Amino acid sequence: MNQSARRSNFLIWVWTLFVLVLVYLPIVCGALAGLSKSRYFGFPVARWSTEWWSRALESFEVQTIVKTSLAIAFIVTAVAVVVAFFGALAFARYDWKGRRLYQKLVLLPIFFPQPVLGLALLLWFNAVGIQPTWQTAIFAHLVWIVPVVTLVIAIQVYGFDPALEEAAADLGAGRLFILREVTLPILWPGVWSGALFAFLLSWGNFPLSLYTTGADSTVPEWLYSKMVAGYTPMVPALGTMSTLAAATLLLAGGLIAALLRRRAAGKAAEA
Amino acid sequence: MTATALAAPKAPSPLPEALPILQLVGVRKTFGAFAAVERIDLDIRDGEFLTIVGPSGSGKTTLLRMLAGMEAPSEGDISLRGVRINETPPARRPTCLVFQSLALFPHKTVGENIEFPLKVKKVAGAARKARALELLRLVQLPESYYAKNVMQCSGGERQRVALARALAYDPDVLFFDEPLSALDYKLKKVMEKELKDLHRLSGKTFVYITHSLEEAMVMSDRIGVMRAGRLVQVGTPEEIYTRPSTKFVAEFMGEVNVFDAVRSGEGWRIDGLDGPAALDLPPGLRTADAAAVVVRPEFLRFVDGQADAQNRLSGVVFNEYALGSRIQYQVRVGEKTFLLELSRANAWGGKPGDAATIGWDARDAIVVAA
């Protein structure tokens, strides 16, 4: 009994390690490629250098595309969260005529192949005479990201007891007061994960951006173009930076959540 | 406060006595083709503890939601102190509902929950806290609970928090939607009494719904029994218990012996039983051809060798059940089963399987609509 428990424990460890190596090895390879002096990646790394990192950081081109990507991601996040929040309430909170149809329609764009969606949008922009720029890419991202964020927030809404809003109204509260004091605070975790999803999906999106940014360029587009022609180790360097930034973002979010929980627990313990 | 206001005792006005605080006239609620509540007329008196009892699906929750303003009646009128309130939203009614789920705000502390209605009314922070602490004392929770996370409270404590929050709103009428149903038996018994005490202390009108008659009997001034959307009987617990108007009410009140009586020549006999069992019935539906007769288990007794019972039946004791201070016997007479209850001190001497004659007096039988 004890031995079989030990063996299954050992197997769980081996499996976990295997999955981690499988997932992180390519990332580590990319990171190493950006830290090598040579332009072409070889293993083991012959000469280490931070040259590509500093060159990527100093490059005006990289700065421009990072700014464009950030601008798109931030605006997409803000708009998607607001639209998806109310969309999620309609999706999961209220029972209304046509809700089932709405639930299907709102999720449909997720299953639409993104390159086709990008091309369709480009044709459509063209037809109505809109010049594609990074702003049109925001719209393209929203078409795909709003449904995803709606779904993420809707999952939280499904766990929301409608009696809470009824009780608040029964105690004299108006709609806005209820939204501020009851609905939003309880749905915050869903809203935050929705926002995180929106940002990361927009930041990493390639197929929609490719068709709809026009002359502007985003980080994934730039990485792709540099890989197709004129490879430079700035590509893995920038990729690694992006990964590290995302990891920092997640860690910071986790830390803030933990701090908030500790503060709430502390407040309770005070009494 | 002026001197005159202090000097003059509050003269009881003659009106409130007569005017019900809530009045329902022909109230009906339909969902599509289904009528959840069928034409209910009911006066709820100011300051009373009224319990609506009924099995699940009898429409009692729908009735309560209409009273609280969460549903509008399809037909009929609901008035509060003579003013029609059919479409008045819950926020503008001086009423408050304690939900079955309690609907406490999980992200707020006990104090914040209680203060919620005061925050809505923009009461200042210090005054809010003072009132919350006062209410905590009233519902017998320690003041230290003020800052406790409401999700860390036990079931009984949450009941009290929900009650305190409702009282903080200072409603004229409090509605309860089976809030005790999730508690274990012992705690439920404690909370029933506390609720009744709180009703006395607050002087407010309490309208409570439950499927448990036991709960209703302990707490209520009046009980209304609902069945299939209709109010079958409204009366004091005493009235409902001793004079049920229908078979349904009698059976709902607990374990009773109910049988149909049919005419047999000049007299009556029990439907489904052959033999000489002539029935001596109390005055009631004497002229009808059929009636339902209710006899409570405690009014039945073993009458072997005695002739002191007006009605007698011979059968076999099938089993006995100990109910704490009382013992219940199941007696089979032909196809029928009768329940008989004795106090433990007067326990029957026989054992299951023995033949026995049971009997009761005409005055202990209740004749109800079949």
Side-chain angles (χ1 to χ4, degrees):
Chain A
M1 184 67 199
N2 197 15
Q3 198 183 348
S4 86
R6 219 178 306 148
R7 193 163 53 196
S8 78
N9 213 6
F10 172 74
L11 283 174
I12 289 169
W13 272 103
V14 168
W15 177 250
T16 311
L17 213 67
F18 171 70
V19 171
L20 283 175
V21 167
L22 204 70
V23 170
Y24 277 94
L25 199 62
I27 298 175
V28 171
C29 280
L32 291 177
L35 285 168
S36 158
K37 178 119 183 98
S38 126
R39 197 173 157 202
Y40 300 101
F41 182 57
F43 194 81
V45 176
R47 286 175 65 199
W48 298 88
S49 157
T50 53
E51 184 197 338
W52 301 110
W53 275 63
S54 47
R55 274 177 71 172
L57 285 170
E58 280 156 18
S59 156
F60 176 73
E61 204 185 350
V62 170
Q63 282 169 17
T64 311
I65 54 128
V66 167
K67 268 185 213 153
T68 307
S69 265
L70 279 177
I72 294 176
F74 273 119
I75 297 172
V76 164
T77 304
V79 177
V81 164
V82 173
V83 174
F85 176 74
F86 293 104
L89 287 185
F91 193 99
R93 163 73 177 84
Y94 296 101
D95 210 0
W96 48 285
K97 213 175 174 178
R99 181 174 102 155
R100 295 184 74 88
L101 184 68
Y102 161 79
Q103 286 176 336
K104 289 185 181 80
L105 285 178
V106 86
L107 293 187
L108 218 54
I110 300 180
F111 301 102
F112 212 72
Q114 287 190 59
V116 184
L117 188 63
L119 179 64
L121 280 162
L122 178 63
L123 293 173
W124 185 73
F125 289 139
N126 203 28
V128 294
I130 297 173
Q131 180 77 35
T133 61
W134 65 275
Q135 284 122 319
T136 48
I138 291 173
F139 182 79
H141 282 198
L142 283 172
V143 170
W144 195 74
I145 289 171
V146 163
V148 176
V149 181
T150 303
L151 199 64
V152 170
I153 301 180
I155 291 164
Q156 185 84 23
V157 177
Y158 271 119
F160 180 82
D161 180 7
L164 295 177
E165 283 182 351
E166 276 188 331
D170 194 36
L171 293 165
R175 273 178 182 274
L176 267 177
F177 192 87
I178 296 172
L179 186 69
R180 200 180 68 223
E181 288 281 331
V182 180
T183 317
L184 262 178
I186 293 175
L187 297 179
W188 262 136
V191 173
W192 275 116
S193 37
L196 204 64
F197 261 93
F199 189 88
L200 293 178
L201 286 176
S202 171
W203 174 262
N205 189 283
F206 173 68
L208 291 169
S209 298
L210 179 67
Y211 285 100
T212 55
T213 47
D216 293 321
S217 200
T218 63
V219 171
E221 276 181 275
W222 183 83
L223 293 175
Y224 176 74
S225 68
K226 285 292 159 192
M227 258 164 332
V228 171
Y231 175 80
T232 141
M234 283 201 283
V235 168
L238 185 59
T240 311
M241 284 181 222
S242 166
T243 309
L244 286 177
T248 313
L249 198 73
L250 282 171
L251 268 174
L255 218 64
I256 289 170
L259 276 175
L260 284 176
R261 261 200 305 276
R262 269 213 7 220
R263 214 180 63 178
K267 215 166 74 177
E270 250 170 52
Chain B
M1 200 178 271
T2 61
T4 46
L6 275 172
K10 217 170 132 194
S13 60
L15 255 180
E17 286 294 316
L19 192 70
I21 188 159
L22 278 166
Q23 189 171 40
L24 290 88
V25 180
V27 169
R28 195 162 178 264
K29 179 70 186 180
T30 51
F31 297 103
F34 172 71
V37 170
E38 276 285 6
R39 290 194 183 78
I40 284 187
D41 298 302
L42 177 67
D43 285 0
I44 298 171
R45 299 169 192 157
D46 203 349
E48 80 170 325
F49 195 133
L50 173 76
T51 303
I52 305 288
V53 205
S56 52
S58 60
K60 54 190 195 302
T61 300
T62 308
L63 180 67
L64 197 73
R65 288 179 64 85
M66 284 194 281
L67 288 171
M70 283 148 202
E71 306 275 355
S74 311
E75 280 172 42
D77 284 322
I78 301 175
S79 334
L80 185 111
R81 295 206 173 87
V83 181
R84 185 176 177 275
I85 53 159
N86 278 25
E87 276 89 33
T88 309
R92 272 188 263 128
R93 291 181 188 208
T95 63
C96 189
L97 170 63
V98 177
F99 286 73
Q100 183 164 18
S101 65
L102 302 179
L104 292 172
F105 305 127
H107 59 297
K108 290 180 183 286
T109 62
V110 168
E112 286 167 345
N113 263 282
I114 298 173
E115 285 176 17
F116 186 86
L118 304 172
K119 202 172 172 184
V120 173
K121 285 181 196 160
K122 299 195 171 66
V123 176
R128 282 206 311 252
K129 182 165 184 183
R131 179 75 181 130
L133 292 175
E134 202 179 308
L135 285 164
L136 276 176
R137 275 194 298 277
L138 184 67
V139 297
Q140 299 179 28
L141 282 176
E143 284 190 5
S144 61
Y145 272 53
Y146 179 82
K148 192 169 179 170
N149 186 328
V150 79
M151 299 317 279
Q152 287 166 346
C153 294
S154 72
E157 289 162 359
R158 286 186 204 182
Q159 297 281 341
R160 288 167 198 195
V161 176
L163 212 57
R165 187 179 68 178
L167 287 168
Y169 183 58
D170 198 22
D172 295 341
V173 186
L174 268 115
F175 299 117
F176 298 88
D177 184 1
E178 307 201 35
L180 304 184
S181 56
L183 300 183
D184 63 69
Y185 185 78
K186 210 174 141 193
L187 189 56
K188 195 187 281 192
K189 291 283 131 198
V190 174
M191 290 302 296
E192 281 171 7
K193 286 183 182 160
E194 269 182 31
L195 212 57
K196 188 167 184 176
D197 294 346
L198 204 65
H199 173 248
R200 280 211 57 173
L201 280 174
S202 66
K204 295 181 186 302
T205 309
F206 279 29
V207 179
Y208 193 101
I209 68 167
T210 176
H211 59 265
S212 156
L213 190 86
E214 224 185 313
E215 226 171 278
M217 295 296 270
V218 174
M219 298 186 291
S220 325
D221 296 322
R222 284 199 306 157
I223 296 175
V225 184
M226 271 189 90
R227 182 197 193 185
R230 289 172 196 280
L231 259 181
V232 189
Q233 189 176 6
V234 182
T236 61
E238 170 74 12
E239 280 166 0
I240 301 269
Y241 188 78
T242 56
R243 293 195 297 280
S245 67
T246 69
K247 212 164 134 178
F248 171 78
V249 176
E251 282 176 333
F252 198 72
M253 295 322 267
E255 288 183 303
V256 289
N257 299 298
V258 183
F259 47 84
D260 293 320
V262 288
R263 273 215 174 273
S264 161
E266 280 302 290
W268 295 81
R269 63 174 180 80
I270 296 174
D271 192 22
L273 276 189
D274 325 317
L279 275 177
D280 195 349
L281 289 182
L285 301 175
R286 292 233 169 206
T287 50
D289 284 329
V293 179
V294 178
V295 185
R296 299 204 165 277
E298 62 265 34
F299 290 139
L300 280 180
R301 58 186 187 270
F302 291 106
V303 291
D304 292 293
Q306 302 162 32
D308 64 347
Q310 286 161 300
N311 295 289
R312 297 163 69 95
L313 292 171
S314 292
V316 175
V317 175
F318 177 74
N319 219 341
E320 61 177 48
Y321 317 98
L323 308 175
S325 64
R326 309 185 67 78
I327 299 177
Q328 197 178 64
Y329 301 89
Q330 195 197 107
V331 182
R332 294 200 169 163
V333 180
E335 295 284 290
K336 300 247 173 231
T337 299
F338 290 83
L339 287 174
L340 187 154
E341 242 177 72
L342 296 176
S343 69
R344 192 171 277 280
N346 300 323
W348 181 59
K351 57 183 189 303
D354 289 355
T357 305
I358 54 172
W360 69 94
D361 293 330
R363 65 182 149 85
D364 292 330
I366 309 158
V367 178
V368 297

